[in-house]
Amino acid sequence: MKLFYTDHFELPLPEGHRFPMQKYRLLRNRIAADDAHRDDALIVPQAVTYEQLILAHDQEYVDRVCQGRLTKEEIRRIGFPWSPLMVERSKRSSGATLAAARAALREGLAVNMAGGTHHAMRAAGEGYCVFNDAAVTLLTLLAEGQISRAAVLDCDVHQGNGTAEILASESRVVTFSMHGAKNFPLRKHPSDIDIELADATNDAEFLYQLKMGLDAVLKMGPYDLVIYLAGADPFSGDRLGRLAVSKAGLKARDEMVLETCCLQNRIPLAMAMAGGYANVVEDIVDIHAASIAVASRICRQWMGRSRSYGT
């Protein structure tokens, strides 16, 4: 399985900033040291191009991001200080999802070890998201004729408002978000399917709602590609999550999504890590690493079935 990483394009943050940027480097180190991933490929992606960015974002917004002309309010809303490294990191993170999607179309499943920047809207960034990697990826592939219909399965604890806003008029993409009802963002942009969860939702209810949501999404198919946001922040120990889902529950979530899409319905899938804000950064890494382990197993099963079918 191909794993795309961008952690060495590190965004410089002030001391005490609450975004756990180190989780990406720790995750790659964890995966690289794990014998279970010895046959998986760690790859640095190309950055998305200007032309690809403006498929999803207003040209004027992209220009101001790239040229360092964002207002103080826009920078505050994004949550990161502007720098050339912020721009490069954001372009590479979107590039990683695009590269993972291209690999998934060839091989069934691939992973961006970052990404999931689902709060970035057409003309604004928000909530640590500058460019929307899922929207850029899908609109690029649709424009190229590589896909004709796709879905975004967003299981981050925060609603994918930016993805929903950008893709609202794109009938070829179904947007799904399962998130905390009372969590950020306060103003939610409606997805095609939204499932709102009460504070302290536990494993059983979380997985039940996910099963109902997956069934609803699949009824709106078929799909050439799914982009799956496997957020670590529904975890009970997440300081921004407000839910009560265990690590085992999140692994079961990943298994349900990947087995349903990839094995049962043979839909290529690109996975992005999305959010995670546990007080103990190793908890975030544990959850992301478990998501990647599930993906690697499912990818091997997909490839094994393809060989057995002679395809």
Side-chain angles (χ1 to χ4, degrees):
M1 185 179 70
K2 290 182 172 60
L3 301 158
F4 296 89
Y5 69 94
T6 56
D7 59 89
H8 55 307
F9 299 99
E10 190 156 335
L11 191 160
L13 296 176
E15 188 71 27
H17 196 284
R18 68 178 185 173
F19 188 84
M21 188 63 66
Q22 72 273 29
K23 73 175 184 175
Y24 300 116
R25 172 179 48 81
L26 295 172
L27 176 61
R28 178 164 62 94
N29 291 342
R30 174 85 65 88
I31 297 302
D34 189 342
D35 283 345
H37 294 288
R38 63 183 178 274
D39 295 326
D40 294 333
L42 288 161
I43 303 169
V44 179
Q46 295 294 316
V48 289
T49 66
Y50 180 82
E51 291 74 20
Q52 290 164 345
L53 285 173
I54 62 175
L55 291 172
H57 296 285
D58 283 352
Q59 185 172 353
E60 195 267 342
Y61 169 68
V62 174
D63 287 342
R64 289 190 299 106
V65 170
C66 294
Q67 297 166 13
R69 295 190 289 110
L70 294 172
T71 66
K72 289 182 179 179
E73 172 57 27
E74 287 175 312
I75 291 170
R76 185 202 64 77
R77 186 175 176 184
I78 289 170
F80 291 142
W82 186 91
S83 68
L85 287 173
M86 183 201 81
V87 179
E88 182 66 15
R89 164 79 188 187
S90 301
K91 290 163 68 176
R92 293 278 180 168
S93 187
S94 288
T97 297
L98 178 56
R102 293 193 193 281
L105 289 173
R106 295 189 304 269
E107 301 163 13
L109 206 158
V111 174
N112 176 2
M113 295 173 67
T117 48
H118 59 164
H119 299 309
M121 289 171 274
R122 184 165 290 279
E126 183 175 86
Y128 307 135
C129 303
V130 180
F131 301 130
N132 191 304
D133 59 316
V136 170
T137 292
L138 293 178
L139 292 174
T140 295
L141 295 174
L142 286 165
E144 292 175 351
Q146 298 296 311
I147 59 173
S148 59
R149 189 161 176 80
V152 179
L153 297 177
D154 190 338
C155 291
D156 188 277
V157 81
H158 304 109
Q159 198 246 1
N161 59 324
T163 308
E165 186 243 19
I166 294 171
L167 297 172
S169 61
E170 180 48 78
S171 61
R172 296 171 293 179
V173 178
V174 172
T175 54
F176 165 87
S177 179
M178 189 172 83
H179 51 266
K182 297 180 180 179
N183 214 319
F184 178 90
L186 181 62
R187 183 177 180 181
K188 297 173 173 60
H189 196 288
S191 311
D192 291 310
I193 300 173
D194 282 301
I195 295 178
E196 296 196 325
L197 302 174
D199 286 0
T201 292
N202 61 18
D203 288 7
E205 179 64 14
F206 183 87
L207 294 171
Y208 171 79
Q209 293 293 341
L210 178 59
K211 177 64 168 62
M212 297 300 102
L214 281 174
D215 288 347
V217 171
L218 289 170
K219 287 178 181 177
M220 298 174 72
Y223 304 105
D224 302 310
L225 177 71
V226 163
I227 294 182
Y228 169 44
L229 277 61
D233 43 14
F235 175 52
S236 58
D238 194 279
R239 55 192 164 85
L240 303 181
R242 301 173 64 159
L243 301 187
V245 183
S246 68
K247 290 180 183 178
L250 291 173
K251 181 181 178 183
R253 170 201 69 180
D254 298 332
E255 290 172 336
M256 182 186 297
V257 170
L258 299 184
E259 289 176 1
T260 299
C261 292
C262 299
L263 298 184
Q264 296 172 21
N265 290 279
R266 305 294 288 179
I267 307 169
L269 183 146
M271 181 166 71
M273 297 296 97
Y277 307 93
N279 288 315
V280 180
V281 71
E282 286 77 12
D283 284 333
I284 310 172
V285 176
D286 286 348
I287 294 164
H288 287 328
S291 296
I292 293 171
V294 171
S296 184
R297 175 178 63 80
I298 298 294
C299 187
R300 288 195 300 272
Q301 289 179 256
W302 174 297
M303 297 299 288
R305 289 186 182 184
S306 295
R307 285 191 294 270
S308 69
Y309 298 150
T311 60

